Amino acid sequence: MADLKALADAVIKGDQATAVSITKVALEGGTAPKTVLDQGLIAGMDVVGDRFKKNEIYIPEVLIAARAMKMAMEVLEPELVKAGVEPIGKLVIGTVQGDLHDIGKNLVAMMLKGAGFEVIDLGVDVSPEKFVQEAKTRGVQLIGMSALLTTTMPGMEKTIKALQAAGVSAKVMVGGAPVTENFAQKIGAQGYAPDAASAVDTAKRLVA
Ligand code: B1M
């Protein structure tokens, strides 16, 4: 059994090489990709988030930890995706304008790919105009928006209004730590999910 506690510790320390090598060893040893994700990478990032909240660590340490998680996720992603079969839907996803947080959005994108969705990732700091343009030209059924800052959440509502004004009929799913079901309903989003796993269920429901 791979040492997923050591993997979480590598993320916490921002030790990219160790995070990548334990991820590889875990996968080669037959540990399920989802277990590596939940018990190693996400467990480590949870601790980082907690320490950041308590001012025990600062932005540089968080950034270094985030990089280690991203490097390990590059190894993990193809394995998560392998579980997918036929594309069951097509969506664009992005972090809203002014917001550079992408770890959660990447996890959601990864899980959706793993569940069989075709995912077009627009990255971070995505303007309402860009969401509208991409949704129109790519012919998607679903638009996913992520926000981690209370100050960038209004970008979700602006985007929904821009989509409506442009006559885009694709459904909208929103998420991110400060986003709630109530907020989603208030801004007219059809779907909300509190985490990457439930994002898959919500997306499936919206394209059914
Ligand atoms: Co920043 N940051 N950050 N940060 N950061 C938070 C979000 C914060 C809560 C920390 C704190 O103060 N305790 C706080 C926001 C406060 C607020 O607005 N309420 C904060 C702040 C203030 C800032 C800056 C303003 C700091 C500064 O410069 N003074 C700055 C803003 C930069 C910007 O965006 N313009 C900033 C910068 C950064 C870093 C660059 C250092 C780094 C981001 C690196 C990166 O993403 N590439 C960073 C990080 C890492 C964090 C914390 C520590 C961790 C976020 C994270 O990755 N969590 C965070 C504190 C925390 O959350 N405890 C914090 C792990 C991730 C798996 O969870 O993203 O919630 P999350 O995603 C979950 C769910 O929310 C959901 O599924 C995911 C997986 O389960 N989900 C969706 C997410 N998107 C979804 C979309 C869906 C459905 C579900 O549908 C489409």
Side-chain angles (χ1 to χ4, degrees):
M1 177 69 184
D3 189 351
L4 298 180
K5 166 82 175 63
L7 178 55
D9 286 342
V11 170
I12 295 164
K13 287 184 199 139
D15 181 345
Q16 291 183 20
T18 305
V20 167
S21 82
I22 299 179
T23 300
K24 282 183 181 161
V25 168
L27 293 173
E28 281 159 15
T31 307
K34 179 88 172 45
T35 306
V36 178
L37 179 66
D38 290 343
Q39 294 176 24
L41 302 181
I42 292 185
M45 191 50 77
D46 278 351
V47 174
V48 172
D50 249 23
R51 291 187 182 169
F52 187 55
K53 233 185 260 171
K54 294 179 187 154
N55 288 327
E56 290 170 5
I57 58 167
Y58 298 96
I59 292 172
E61 289 100 318
V62 174
L63 201 48
I64 291 166
R67 286 209 187 115
M69 180 161 178
K70 274 184 132 175
M71 297 296 291
M73 272 166 37
E74 277 174 25
V75 176
L76 198 56
E77 181 168 11
E79 300 306 315
L80 285 165
V81 171
K82 260 186 208 164
V85 214
E86 294 280 298
I88 55 172
K90 186 172 173 182
L91 79 152
V92 288
I93 190 167
T95 303
V96 296
Q97 195 162 39
D99 201 324
L100 304 177
H101 295 86
D102 67 354
I103 297 171
K105 182 265 297 168
N106 291 345
L107 279 176
V108 172
M110 214 186 275
M111 298 286 283
L112 288 169
K113 280 185 201 170
F117 281 87
E118 184 181 339
V119 179
I120 300 152
D121 189 345
L122 305 179
V124 296
D125 192 18
V126 182
S127 67
E129 297 74 26
K130 176 85 176 161
F131 273 114
V132 170
Q133 181 203 336
E134 294 289 336
K136 267 182 147 176
T137 53
R138 311 274 197 148
V140 296
Q141 295 136 288
L142 191 59
I143 296 151
M145 286 189 273
S146 180
L148 264 284
L149 298 171
T150 44
T151 49
T152 57
M153 285 166 67
M156 292 178 157
E157 187 170 15
K158 272 190 207 153
T159 304
I160 290 175
K161 285 195 172 134
L163 289 164
Q164 286 165 350
V168 176
S169 60
K171 292 183 177 158
V172 174
M173 171 169 78
V174 293
V179 178
T180 61
E181 177 90 61
N182 268 350
F183 175 78
Q185 280 175 10
K186 200 181 115 226
I187 64 171
Q190 287 85 0
Y192 158 77
D195 55 55
S198 25
V200 170
D201 299 334
T202 305
K204 281 182 177 166
R205 176 174 59 75
L206 292 174
V207 301

